[in-house]
Amino acid sequence: MKPILIVEDEPGMLMGLKDNMEFEGYQVDVADDGEIGLDKILGNEYSLVLLDVMLPKISGFDICKQVRKKGIATPIILLTARGEEIDKVLGLEFGADDYITKPFSLRELLARIRAVLRRTENRTESKANHTVEIGKLSINFSSFEGFVDQQEVKMSHKEVEILNYLWDNKNTIVSRDDLLDHIWGTDYQPTSRTIDNFILKLRHKIEQDPNHAKIILTVHGVGYRLVV
């Protein structure tokens, strides 16, 4: 039984999600405000977190930021009643793995959960205990641990996934569409600007001079190439 945390302040929604997730065979923990939710994420190991954006005390965005800054790579799906593009972009840039707008169908939510868990499990199985050197960064794709000069570097979930995919396709051109499809899947497509922002962050962790990249190269009008 995979443990899942649901952080949602609306009682009916919270209980409905809990009952349905338990019916699907998940072990479910709950929190009804952001402060409790953050404490539970920091103090427990979950397979996935369903995280509402609009929460009392601490917002879902702030929880996401704090969790990723601490190097916790637990997959997060954001739940929100808002559907503006800027909210989707912010959520993904703060480290969320997916984003679903209320109202949503249970079937759609379960499909998103399975897709996120499948991507996480596949990556973990293929990269277990494998550390590689990319520029000045030493990265373990399974544990999400990155080091520069033996000092730990915080890596968000999405940063590791993107770098993992570039590494698997090193020395070949990877289009932005390829990254969007393989990292986010077909259910939700962020903008190419989101990819560019992640690449910028990765360059600061990898390149000796991020303004003159020699490892993650831009192929104008297409995408990127990781040169090893």
Side-chain angles (χ1 to χ4, degrees):
M1 296 178 66
K2 296 182 183 299
I4 288 180
L5 174 65
I6 302 172
V7 188
E8 166 66 59
D9 65 317
E10 201 282 306
M13 173 70 75
L14 180 61
M15 289 301 100
L17 287 172
K18 181 178 185 294
D19 290 345
N20 281 292
M21 294 302 104
E22 288 178 338
F23 181 80
E24 293 294 325
Y26 296 106
Q27 178 184 336
V28 181
D29 194 5
V30 298
D32 59 6
D33 70 47
E35 192 173 88
I36 295 173
L38 179 59
D39 287 343
K40 288 195 172 189
I41 296 171
L42 298 180
N44 299 276
E45 291 188 8
Y46 299 104
S47 295
L48 183 136
V49 176
L50 296 178
L51 179 62
D52 190 27
V53 170
M54 303 299 289
L55 290 167
K57 299 183 180 178
I58 305 175
S59 75
F61 286 153
D62 287 334
I63 290 173
C64 205
K65 285 193 294 183
Q66 292 188 47
V67 166
R68 296 309 188 219
K69 282 182 180 179
K70 291 183 179 295
I72 297 172
T74 304
I76 295 174
I77 297 178
L78 291 177
L79 312 175
T80 181
R82 299 188 299 178
E84 289 86 350
E85 183 68 22
I86 185 62
D87 287 341
K88 297 177 182 179
V89 171
L90 284 174
L92 295 170
E93 290 185 353
F94 290 156
D97 295 87
D98 204 350
Y99 186 109
I100 188 167
T101 303
K102 302 174 185 177
F104 49 81
S105 70
L106 177 62
R107 183 177 179 181
E108 180 185 8
L109 178 60
L110 290 172
R112 299 288 186 97
I113 290 173
R114 286 193 290 266
V116 169
L117 290 175
R118 185 168 57 249
R119 291 199 300 268
T120 304
E121 289 165 358
N122 289 343
R123 185 189 58 253
T124 300
E125 290 173 2
S126 65
K127 299 297 180 181
N129 301 318
H130 183 49
T131 300
V132 299
E133 306 288 331
I134 306 177
K136 63 183 182 181
L137 178 73
S138 298
I139 177 73
N140 185 304
F141 291 121
S142 177
S143 65
F144 289 80
E145 292 177 319
F147 295 88
V148 174
D149 296 330
Q150 299 183 333
Q151 298 295 315
E152 186 174 4
V153 176
K154 299 301 182 183
M155 302 285 290
S156 74
H157 191 87
K158 275 290 178 285
E159 286 174 334
V160 175
E161 282 197 313
I162 291 170
L163 187 57
N164 189 348
Y165 188 73
L166 290 173
W167 174 260
D168 286 344
N169 296 276
K170 52 186 173 289
N171 298 320
T172 61
I173 296 173
V174 174
S175 72
R176 290 180 176 85
D177 287 340
D178 287 337
L179 285 167
L180 292 171
D181 288 342
H182 284 84
I183 305 303
W184 281 274
T186 57
D187 289 329
Y188 171 67
Q189 291 284 338
T191 64
S192 59
R193 171 178 165 271
T194 303
I195 293 290
D196 295 339
N197 287 341
F198 275 111
I199 294 296
L200 181 61
K201 294 175 183 177
L202 285 171
R203 281 175 173 156
H204 279 85
K205 295 177 170 71
I206 292 169
E207 305 277 359
Q208 294 295 336
D209 182 359
N211 294 320
H212 298 86
K214 295 183 178 180
I215 299 171
I216 302 180
L217 304 182
T218 298
V219 181
H220 293 289
V222 182
Y224 298 95
R225 179 158 55 105
L226 179 68
V227 177
V228 178

